Amino acid sequence: MSNTEKLAVQQTNEEKSHPYDEVSTTTTALDILSMEHTDPVLDAKMRLVNNAIDEIGFTAYQWKMFFLNGFGYAVDSLILLIQGIIASQAALEFHPSYALAMTIAAYVGMLLGAIFWGFSADIIGRRFAFNCSLLFCSIFAIVAGASPNWPVLGLFIALSAFGGGGNLVLDTAVFLEYLPSKDQWLLTLLAAWWGIGQLIAGLFAWAFLPNFSCTDPAVDPSAPPCTRANNMGWRYVWFASGALVFVMSILRITIIHLNETPKYLVGVGRDEQVVETLQSIAHKYNRPCSLTLQQLEACGVTKVSHAKSRASFAEVWLHIRGLYATRRMGISTTLIWFSWTLIGLAYPLYNVFLPSYLKSRGAQFGDTSAYTQWRNYAVINVCGIFGPIPAAYLCATRIGRRGTMVVGGLITMVFFFAYTQVRNDAQNLGFNCAVNFSLNIYYGTLYAYTPEVLPSAHRGTGNGIAIGCNRIMGILSAVIATVADTNTPVPIYICAALYLVMAIVAALFPFEPYGRRSS
């Protein structure tokens, strides 16, 4: 038996006697992919890093990351929803030939952003994207409000989405790679920020659109033509959103000076920086950290997860291949990507086109005022904030991540089917709130589960492709909307069936992170 293998066995025995039973009274917190690694040196070093993070424990550093990384979640949902909110009002001013172009522009931008920032996270590190993505997003969000025509608006929306689209890839990975094992459930709670972003979008719409928008001539033939002068509401929404994102980006840079994550550094063989990073956190918050450079070097030399040229297809292929290093990892990766594909169709059909559906329901119930429409929209999005809270609790119990996704998927399916029986405005609002709450139980857990079960060296790539699959289906949903009537209950039936399939797939995931540590 080699020295590395002996060390791995020794560390496994140490972990079994270590008091990680704060996570589970019967299961020791071993690494999720411990038995899957093809590189025993990397596995041994990852165990040492996880031990050090657990030894330091949860500090104010992680609390800062919870809020600052949460900004990325909020921005992703904010940008995505705003384009759907303002599209119809901007169309009255610009008279486009393709009304759903903004949805496609947003999803194309987010698709490219997820792929670009995801691959860059594994190729050049997490730190660059964490510091730059929100700033990039904010600049083009502000500029979008000054767009002179429909094509330019689409371009700026796509560029803003490109910056925002990388945050879901990076924020979960960065936060996870600093979390002690007993606190990994917080990754699910982080998804509450997604609902906060939705709420901000709803509040901006409620504040600006009823008071600063022109009237649709189709509704009131005597209304004057829509011009920039009498239709500034949708521009104000973009200005306010871009300014808010800009403030968030500055806070991310100034409040926390993010070091490269220890697990990324381990994967690229920079052991000395791993020790420096963890020791600096321990020193700053007066916590113990017994990790030394000698311990890491004793494990051997890590196979660096990079090709000869990082700017090459070989580098990309190396990271994709790393996600299929073993049979179980390959099955896990495929099922994760499939789940993101399914929810990528279900979520836009319900949420991106929710304003038009709410409008049709309002007309049926006798209330078509913009004030009521956007007030209800804000109320619905408030409910989405609280979905990840019970999800986080369930993830920290024996139900685990897979069980929580099954519960969330099935409850959402039931509410979707029940929604078809809505007959008045109060029921319409109530069921929308219930659906938004329950689907975030599933969605929030999937966001957390994905990086937890991916290997650190390829986490950005796997996460980026997963979210890329989601965005592709978002584009497809916009195409579907051009040939299908989204004002009918048909999308509801489709969404219900998709959530049932998602629940089944969740039950088939081969890894359960409960009581385990991310690798």
Side-chain angles (χ1 to χ4, degrees), residues 176-443:
L176 173 65
E177 293 182 4
Y178 277 104
L179 272 179
S181 60
K182 68 183 180 64
D183 298 306
Q184 284 180 196
W185 61 271
L186 282 170
L187 201 62
T188 301
L189 186 62
L190 190 70
W193 284 93
W194 174 271
I196 293 174
Q198 292 177 315
L199 173 61
I200 293 171
L203 291 176
F204 282 159
W206 188 15
F208 295 118
L209 293 182
N211 302 314
F212 302 99
S213 298
C214 62
T215 303
D216 187 351
V219 177
D220 183 4
S222 65
C226 283
T227 63
R228 179 170 182 147
N230 66 0
N231 195 36
M232 287 294 293
W234 68 268
R235 296 179 187 273
Y236 292 152
V237 170
W238 275 116
F239 291 147
S241 300
L244 178 62
V245 177
F246 180 76
V247 172
M248 290 178 174
S249 69
I250 298 302
L251 292 175
R252 292 233 297 204
I253 297 172
T254 56
I255 289 182
I256 186 169
H257 300 286
L258 182 73
N259 294 317
E260 192 55 78
T261 66
K263 293 184 179 180
Y264 172 81
L265 294 172
V266 166
V268 296
R270 287 147 64 179
D271 294 346
E272 186 174 355
Q273 285 183 258
V274 173
V275 177
E276 289 177 358
T277 299
L278 292 175
Q279 289 286 1
S280 67
I281 295 174
H283 176 73
K284 182 176 182 179
Y285 297 101
N286 195 27
R287 299 295 181 87
C289 180
S290 57
L291 180 67
T292 64
L293 179 60
Q294 291 72 24
Q295 287 177 313
L296 291 175
E297 290 179 340
C299 297
V301 179
T302 304
K303 297 176 185 176
V304 179
S305 302
H306 291 294
K308 292 182 179 179
S309 173
R310 295 197 184 187
S312 65
F313 179 76
E315 171 79 6
V316 174
W317 178 246
L318 183 149
H319 289 294
I320 294 175
R321 191 175 58 193
L323 297 168
Y324 288 83
T326 67
R327 182 173 178 272
R328 289 182 76 206
M329 289 173 65
I331 293 173
S332 175
T333 299
T334 301
L335 290 179
I336 287 172
W337 290 349
F338 182 56
S339 297
W340 278 98
T341 301
L342 292 176
I343 201 168
L345 180 60
Y347 188 77
L349 282 179
Y350 168 72
N351 217 346
V352 173
F353 303 113
L354 183 59
S356 62
Y357 187 78
L358 283 175
K359 187 176 180 180
S360 71
R361 295 288 99 176
Q364 180 177 334
F365 301 145
D367 188 351
T368 59
S369 70
Y371 178 88
T372 300
Q373 177 188 348
W374 297 116
R375 180 205 65 191
N376 290 352
Y377 193 61
V379 171
I380 291 165
N381 287 327
V382 168
C383 297
I385 298 173
F386 299 100
I389 296 176
Y393 172 78
L394 292 174
C395 285
T397 68
R398 294 182 183 279
I399 294 176
R401 276 65 158 173
R402 292 182 299 188
T404 302
M405 284 186 278
V406 171
V407 170
L410 293 178
I411 293 175
T412 305
M413 176 199 68
V414 170
F415 278 123
F416 270 125
F417 279 125
Y419 195 100
T420 58
Q421 302 304 310
V422 166
R423 293 295 179 268
N424 58 56
D425 197 23
Q427 292 174 354
N428 179 50
L429 178 60
F431 272 98
N432 267 291
C433 290
V435 166
N436 215 29
F437 175 86
S438 61
L439 69 83
N440 276 323
I441 294 176
Y442 175 89
Y443 217 164

